[in-house]
């Protein structure tokens, strides 16, 4: 076969492959939205499902998702960022650091159901938190720790040494230098890690099913919002799983559409953040 | 006759097993410019960094001998490194403005050392920028990011930042080697101004620059100081054969 034709064929195959993946993505989005949007009405977002009242709603699940995202981040971000700062700025480079980094990488590859099992036994049973939003959040915080640590480390590595020397050379203490120069410079990278983590939390099912359970009710006004942490609560993804299991396809598609919107919004945010290199130059 | 500001006696520095400074004994005079010259890798930067203890950051560095500032040993136990680095400021080869506004760059050092008063910080910022001859160019854009300045401006900003904490000594490690000739000359003029009130130690690759701006010159070779003395005498009547060869351009 002449070379020109070969090239042409190769191009065509590549274009087809690219076209196919775009088409697939667009197809899923259109399909889910087409099925999901009709379910959207005000009660869907503001009530919880009730056989007695005859309502179908995901307000409780939306709140649970917010609770779990916030609590998980509260537990994981300080620990993850702290670990990254320690690994990059304080620890003596060598076997110990490499071992910890290897362990972190490995942790990132463990199937989430294993985290679920560990969380259920350790946080749920041993520490006695039971099926609760707290147990679920602590479990997820272990799962996303590597993501936060790795992104923060990468961001810290990208900060030029000349900043460190400049600050130390002026008499700044190490922690002061980290707080005033390194962390602000690394902030876009850190936030990117956090946003990716939020994506994983929102989409997680296996690790939550046996830790946070599937509660879907709204808390009672007042102290109910605090004690809710100790109660079972399913996120949107969990509720979608349950709806599917009960063959409530309309509800499942409605939730799927909501989840897609969230994922698209976060991806957009990450894109904007990683492109916007403020101060670069 | 200026008195002696910094005195090193039999100073040795090892990076692990590598003997980088060998028995360096020399004096640096107050309110004068001392130029350190020599081929690359001979220990000029290393020597400069011993003066404000920037070597403390590097793993495996070992130092013997004495470095005295105003007669006080700076490696003695109990010396406060923060205070030392306030008294002995440093400017690097690559301009390294922090990724923040011009104002915050200058205010960084004073804030490190506890200054919080807004009015006083304003004063310090203006005074430092004026001293570093960059006030006119920056006064209308103090809140703009410093990395947006040109290379020469950035380096003068870094000098201003170092001056903001009222140091006594200014260490400069090849401050003009990353700059164009015009910006370099501006820095040289600035240093001639500053030496009236500061002790300046500058590493330079450029012998003409040493002649133009320095009062004293020291020649480093493979970790030793071959010769040091008044710049005029150093270049017109060097005592050591190796100095003669270096000045004549017979080393790299
Ligand atoms: N952090 C370090 N670790 C090990 N060796 C170093 C380090 N810094 C410098 N050296 C070595 O010490 C010698 C002197 O370096 P330096 O002071 O930077 O020279 P100069 O500034 O005169 O070019 C060189 O041989 C260099 O390789
Ligand atoms: Mg050097």
């Amino acid at each position: 076969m002449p070379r020109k034709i070969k090239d042409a064929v190769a191009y065509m195959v590549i274009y087809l492959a690219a076209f196919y993946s775009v088409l697939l993505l667009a197809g899923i989005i259109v399909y889910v939205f087409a099925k999901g949007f009709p379910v959207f009405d005000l009660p869907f977002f503001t009530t919880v499902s009730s056989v007695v009242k005859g309502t179908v709603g995901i307000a409780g699940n939306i709140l649970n998702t917010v609770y779990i995202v916030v609590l998980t981040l509260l537990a994981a971000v300080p620990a993850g960022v702290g670990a990254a700062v320690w690994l990059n700025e304080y620890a003596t480079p060598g076997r110990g650091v490499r071992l910890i980094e290897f362990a972190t990488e490995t942790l990132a590859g463990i199937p989430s159901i294993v985290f679920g099992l560990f969380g259920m036994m350790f946080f749920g049973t041993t520490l006695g938190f039971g099926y609760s939003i707290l147990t679920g959040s602590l479990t997820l915080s272990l799962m996303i720790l590597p993501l936060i640590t790795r992104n923060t480390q990468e961001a810290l590595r990208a900060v030029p040494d000349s900043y460190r020397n400049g600050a130390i050379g002026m008499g700044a203490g190490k922690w002061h230098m980290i707080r005033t120069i390194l962390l602000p410079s690394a902030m876009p990278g850190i936030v990117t890690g956090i946003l990716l983590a939020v994506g994983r939390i929102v989409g997680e099912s296996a690790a939550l099913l046996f830790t946070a359970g599937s509660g879907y009710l709204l808390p009672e006004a007042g102290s109910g919002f605090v004690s809710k942490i100790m109660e079972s609560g399913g996120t949107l993804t969990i509720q979608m799983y349950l709806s599917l299991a009960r063959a409530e396809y309309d509800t499942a598609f409605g939730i799927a559409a909501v989840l897609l919107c969230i994922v698209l919004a976060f991806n957009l945010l990450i894109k904007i953040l990683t492109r916007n290199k403020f101060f670069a130059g | 006759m200026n008195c002696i500001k910094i005195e090193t006696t039999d100073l040795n520095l090892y990076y692990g097993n590598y003997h980088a400074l060998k028995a360096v004994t020399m004096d640096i005079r107050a309110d004068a410019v001392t130029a350190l010259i020599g081929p690359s890798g001979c220990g000029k930067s290393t020597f400069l960094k011993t003066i404000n203890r920037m070597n403390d950051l590097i793993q495996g560095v070992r130092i013997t001998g004495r470095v005295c500032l105003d007669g006080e040993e700076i490696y003695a136990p109990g010396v406060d490194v923060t205070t030392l680095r306030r008294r002995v400021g440093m400017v690097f080869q690559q301009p390294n403005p922090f990724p923040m506004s011009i104002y915050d760059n200058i205010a960084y050092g004073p804030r490190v050392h506890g200054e919080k008063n807004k009015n006083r910080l304003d004063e310090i910022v203006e005074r430092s920028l004026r001293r570093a001859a960059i006030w006119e160019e920056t006064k209308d854009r103090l809140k703009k990011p410093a990395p947006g300045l040109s290379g020469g401006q950035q380096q003068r900003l870094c000098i201003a930042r170092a001056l903001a904490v009222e140091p006594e000594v200014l260490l400069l490690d090849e401050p003009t080697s990353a700059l164009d000739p015009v910006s370099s000359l501006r820095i040289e003029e600035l240093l001639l101004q500053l030496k009236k009130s500061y002790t300046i130690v500058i590493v330079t690759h450029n012998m003409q620059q040493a002649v133009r701006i320095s009062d004293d010159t020291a020649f480093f070779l493979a970790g030793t100081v071959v010769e040091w003395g008044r710049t005029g005498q150093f270049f017109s009547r060097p005592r050591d054969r190796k100095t003669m060869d270096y000045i004549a351009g017979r080393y790299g």
Side-chain angles (χ1 to χ4, degrees):
Chain A
M1 208 168 17
R3 197 197 171 98
K4 270 210 168 124
I5 298 182
K6 251 196 211 164
D7 278 356
V9 171
Y11 270 118
M12 215 142 87
V13 171
I14 292 167
Y15 276 117
L16 275 177
F19 182 67
Y20 175 70
S21 56
V22 171
L23 198 71
L24 207 62
L25 183 66
I28 291 175
I29 292 175
V30 169
Y31 184 71
V32 168
F33 280 167
K35 290 271 205 176
F37 279 146
V39 183
F40 285 12
D41 56 10
L42 198 58
F44 185 66
F45 292 103
T46 55
T47 64
V48 302
S49 298
S50 160
V51 187
V52 181
K53 294 184 195 147
T55 53
V56 174
I58 56 169
N61 304 108
I62 292 176
L63 192 65
N64 290 339
T65 308
V66 172
Y67 263 82
I68 287 184
V69 165
V70 170
L71 281 178
T72 305
L73 292 181
L74 276 181
V77 171
V81 172
V85 167
W86 182 78
L87 284 170
N88 250 49
E89 309 297 327
Y90 287 95
T92 320
R95 295 245 310 263
V97 168
R98 280 205 304 277
L99 190 73
I100 294 172
E101 283 174 350
F102 175 72
T104 323
E105 297 286 318
T106 312
L107 211 60
I110 293 178
S112 56
I113 185 79
V114 178
F115 282 99
L117 177 69
F118 172 78
M120 178 175 82
M121 296 320 260
F122 183 68
F123 298 117
T125 307
T126 310
L127 297 186
F129 298 151
Y131 279 112
S132 67
I133 286 181
L134 183 64
T135 300
S137 300
L138 291 173
T139 306
L140 288 195
S141 73
L142 294 182
M143 201 178 82
I144 64 160
L145 202 61
L147 205 60
I148 307 271
T149 305
R150 208 170 337 129
N151 273 278
T152 306
Q153 267 192 294
E154 255 161 49
L156 287 175
R157 281 197 202 111
V159 179
D161 271 341
S162 66
Y163 292 176
R164 294 177 176 83
N165 291 334
I168 299 286
M170 313 218 47
K174 192 155 184 175
W175 174 236
H176 185 87
M177 180 271 290
I178 290 170
R179 208 160 40 81
T180 55
I181 309 272
L182 290 195
L183 289 179
S185 309
M187 200 45 84
I190 297 174
V191 173
T192 302
I194 293 175
L195 292 179
L196 289 170
V198 172
R200 288 218 38 199
I201 299 168
V202 170
E204 184 53 43
S205 54
L208 280 176
L209 204 52
F210 299 104
T211 54
S214 56
Y216 60 93
L217 298 176
L218 282 169
E220 285 171 31
S223 64
F225 281 94
V226 179
S227 59
K228 182 173 175 60
I229 293 171
M230 297 311 292
E231 284 157 22
S232 148
T235 59
L236 287 165
T237 303
I238 294 290
Q239 186 58 47
M240 183 176 152
Y241 171 83
L242 295 175
S243 303
L244 272 177
R246 293 191 207 113
E248 295 162 357
Y249 295 118
D250 287 348
T251 314
F253 272 111
I255 297 175
V258 174
L259 286 172
L260 258 183
C261 287
I262 295 175
V263 169
L264 290 178
F266 270 98
N267 275 350
L268 207 67
L269 217 65
I270 293 172
K271 266 271 163 344
I272 292 169
L273 264 174
T274 45
R275 193 179 41 205
N276 177 13
K277 291 242 166 82
F278 187 50
F279 283 150
Chain B
M1 174 72 203
N2 318 37
C3 59
I4 288 165
K5 185 75 180 172
I6 300 159
E7 193 181 357
T8 72
T9 318
D10 199 19
L11 175 67
N12 288 280
L13 184 143
Y14 303 82
Y15 290 115
N17 292 324
Y18 182 71
H19 197 172
L21 290 178
K22 297 168 187 162
V24 173
T25 299
M26 67 178 275
D27 298 340
I28 291 165
R29 292 187 297 150
D31 301 340
V33 176
T34 299
L36 310 180
I37 63 169
S40 22
C42 65
K44 306 180 297 291
S45 300
T46 301
F47 177 74
L48 202 66
K49 284 189 280 181
T50 58
I51 303 176
N52 74 342
R53 292 187 56 172
M54 282 298 277
N55 291 312
D56 290 13
L57 306 178
I58 301 168
Q59 291 281 326
V61 165
R62 194 161 57 81
I63 293 172
T64 67
R66 289 159 62 82
V67 180
C68 292
L69 177 66
D70 286 337
E72 279 178 69
E73 165 70 44
I74 65 168
Y75 283 94
V79 168
D80 179 21
V81 185
T82 301
T83 310
L84 173 70
R85 293 190 186 136
R86 193 193 60 65
R87 294 175 64 192
V88 183
M90 187 148 198
V91 175
F92 300 84
Q93 177 172 3
Q94 280 296 331
N96 60 346
F98 299 138
M100 47 179 82
S101 71
I102 292 170
Y103 183 100
D104 288 334
N105 263 275
I106 307 296
Y108 190 83
R111 282 177 177 146
V112 162
H113 298 285
E115 184 59 75
K116 291 200 180 81
N117 184 291
K118 174 86 173 71
N119 290 334
R120 272 202 297 268
L121 282 174
D122 288 351
E123 276 168 37
I124 291 171
V125 169
E126 176 168 351
R127 187 174 61 225
S128 309
L129 289 169
R130 279 188 192 283
R131 275 192 204 156
I134 190 179
W135 170 250
E136 290 305 322
E137 294 146 81
T138 54
K139 64 180 179 200
D140 299 324
R141 49 195 291 202
L142 291 176
K143 297 292 172 192
K144 296 274 165 59
L149 296 169
S150 76
Q153 290 173 325
Q154 287 187 10
Q155 197 58 302
R156 275 179 285 140
L157 179 88
C158 291
I159 294 175
R161 187 175 67 190
L163 295 178
V165 293
E166 305 281 341
E168 300 155 32
V169 180
L170 208 53
L171 309 173
L172 303 107
D173 195 347
E174 302 192 37
T176 63
S177 66
L179 305 181
D180 64 87
V182 176
S183 305
S184 301
L185 280 179
R186 293 202 62 177
I187 302 261
E188 289 183 18
E189 284 164 20
L190 171 62
L191 294 179
L192 287 175
Q193 280 297 312
L194 292 175
K195 79 166 189 182
K196 292 170 191 156
S197 8
Y198 304 90
T199 302
I200 293 177
V201 188
I202 178 173
V203 173
T204 175
H205 244 95
N206 180 333
M207 275 185 273
Q208 278 75 41
Q209 185 173 64
V211 172
R212 280 195 298 268
I213 63 171
S214 72
D215 301 288
D216 296 341
T217 299
F219 172 46
F220 279 69
L221 193 63
T224 58
V225 175
V226 175
E227 181 170 350
W228 59 276
R230 297 289 185 276
T231 299
Q233 196 164 0
F234 180 95
F235 282 99
S236 55
R237 274 169 282 128
R239 290 189 300 269
D240 196 291
R241 176 91 223 161
K242 285 178 267 182
T243 315
M244 238 177 281
D245 286 347
Y246 186 70
I247 294 172
R250 283 195 281 265
Y251 285 97

